[in-house]
Structure formats: C-alpha cells, structure tokens
Amino acid sequence: MPSVTATPPAQRRLIGLLLALLLAAQIDQPYPEVALLQHVPTMLLLVASPWLLRRWPLSTASVACIALFLALHTLGGRYVYSNVPYDDWALALTGTSLSDLFGWTRNHYDRLVHFAFGALSVIPVAEVARRRGGLRARGAMLAVLGWVLSVSALYEVFEWLLTIVAAGETADRYNGQQGDMWDAQKDVALAALGALVGLAFGRARRPGA
C-alpha cells in the first residue's frame, strides 16, 4: 500500500492559487450554460488533490506543470475557448491585436492549450513512468508520447460523443471547432508537437545530452 506523506507547502500554495482562479472565473460568468462542463472536472480534481498528493506524491515541478495547464484551461473555459479576448488584451497593451499582427482568422487559444497539454505533460508523466513504472529515460519518453497521443485522441472522441447527446448550441460552444473540419486532427498534432518540444528541451538541458 502506498505510504501517505504530507503535501509540501509550495504545492498547497499552487492548489490555493488555482482554486482562487477557478472561483474568479465564475464571477459574472459569460457562458453559464456550459460552465459546468468546463469547470466541474477541475473543481473535483482540486478537491481530491490533497488526498491524491499525499497518497501518490509528485515533485513540485510536476504539480506546477499540472496547475499551469489547469489554469490555462480555466481561463479558456470561462470564455468557451473560442471567445478568449486575447485580441482585446493585446490591443489595450500594445495598440495592435494578435490577429491583425499574424493574419489570423480564428481564435487560436484552444490551439495554445492543446500544445501546452503536450509540453506540460512531459515532467509529470516522465516522473511517474520512472518512479512508479521503473522505466529508464527512453522508456519514459515513449510513455510521455503514448500518454499525450492517447489522452488527446480520447478527448476528441469525447467531444464527438458530446455532439450526439448535447443540444447543438451547447456542443458547438464546448467543442470550439470554429468551422474547421480538421480541428480534431490539428489539436492532436499540436499536443504531440508540444510533447516533442518539451522532451527535446528536457534532453538539451541534461548534462552531456
């Protein structure tokens, strides 16, 4: 049976910050009809996280990666991803929007989060693969790629099933396809690219790599 250890203070602070962000995202919620779909899984994970981290501890670096991904997701969930107003923020800060600067015709926040999922999975998944699975470096790298590709594909299947059981407008807002018939394939590809970039960066930082 796994031993139970105390959660480090730094990890408790990360959990607290993420909880504060999640609660702040509900203030004057612009899309209440899909808020539960977006935020309840994160809330359940936060509630369970102290117990999970005591029973199956992770390094603070791994917890930080998970918390950062969930923070990005929480922000995206508030605006159902397709409507994250990064153009307005950039315009207020710099006088020009990102869409004008790069010639974008769609909201790309969801692409960022899929890429971040791959990149931010590297440290925690490799840690679990090596510590719990007894894998060496190469095996841990393959475990990261397997995790990212399988979870990304399963999530796209979930979105497809949601379109079958949910009302059309709710499903469309949650999925954020924005008229792109290849949206699912691009999302999986970006997650894989994020994992490859994260793995390459980690390998470059290791002495003698």
Side-chain angles (χ1 to χ4, degrees), residues 73-98:
H73 167 66
T74 297
L75 177 61
R78 173 175 170 79
Y79 298 101
V80 293
Y81 279 88
S82 300
N83 300 306
V84 174
Y86 57 73
D87 276 332
D88 294 339
W89 300 336
L91 194 62
L93 289 172
T94 67
T96 186
S97 71
L98 294 178

Side-chain angles (χ1 to χ4, degrees), residues 67-138:
L68 178 55
F69 170 73
L70 291 175
L72 291 170
H73 167 66
T74 297
L75 177 61
R78 173 175 170 79
Y79 298 101
V80 293
Y81 279 88
S82 300
N83 300 306
V84 174
Y86 57 73
D87 276 332
D88 294 339
W89 300 336
L91 194 62
L93 289 172
T94 67
T96 186
S97 71
L98 294 178
S99 293
D100 288 340
L101 185 63
F102 296 106
W104 293 340
T105 57
R106 78 185 296 278
N107 191 298
H108 283 288
Y109 187 82
D110 62 328
R111 306 287 197 223
L112 168 66
V113 176
H114 282 283
F115 180 86
F117 170 71
L120 295 171
S121 289
V122 171
I123 291 177
V125 175
E127 179 181 326
V128 171
R130 299 189 72 169
R131 183 187 298 178
R132 304 289 179 182
L135 299 180
R136 296 187 177 182
R138 183 168 297 181

Side-chain angles (χ1 to χ4, degrees), residues 34 37 159 162-164 166-177:
V34 293
L37 277 172
E159 287 193 337
L162 183 65
T163 64
I164 297 175
E169 185 178 355
T170 298
D172 184 63
R173 282 187 170 177
Y174 183 86
N175 290 347
Q177 191 170 351

Side-chain angles (χ1 to χ4, degrees), residues 125-169:
V125 175
E127 179 181 326
V128 171
R130 299 189 72 169
R131 183 187 298 178
R132 304 289 179 182
L135 299 180
R136 296 187 177 182
R138 183 168 297 181
M141 291 171 64
L142 292 175
V144 169
L145 288 174
W147 162 266
V148 170
L149 287 170
S150 60
V151 172
S152 297
L154 286 172
Y155 181 75
E156 298 302 330
V157 170
F158 165 75
E159 287 193 337
W160 165 63
L161 292 174
L162 183 65
T163 64
I164 297 175
V165 300
E169 185 178 355

Side-chain angles (χ1 to χ4, degrees), residues 4-5 7 30 43 45 51-52 58 65 74 85 96 111 124 131 150 164 171 209:
V4 177
T5 60
T7 304
M43 178 60 76
L45 184 59
W51 178 81
L52 292 171
L58 292 171
C65 286
T74 297
T96 186
R111 306 287 197 223
R131 183 187 298 178
S150 60
I164 297 175

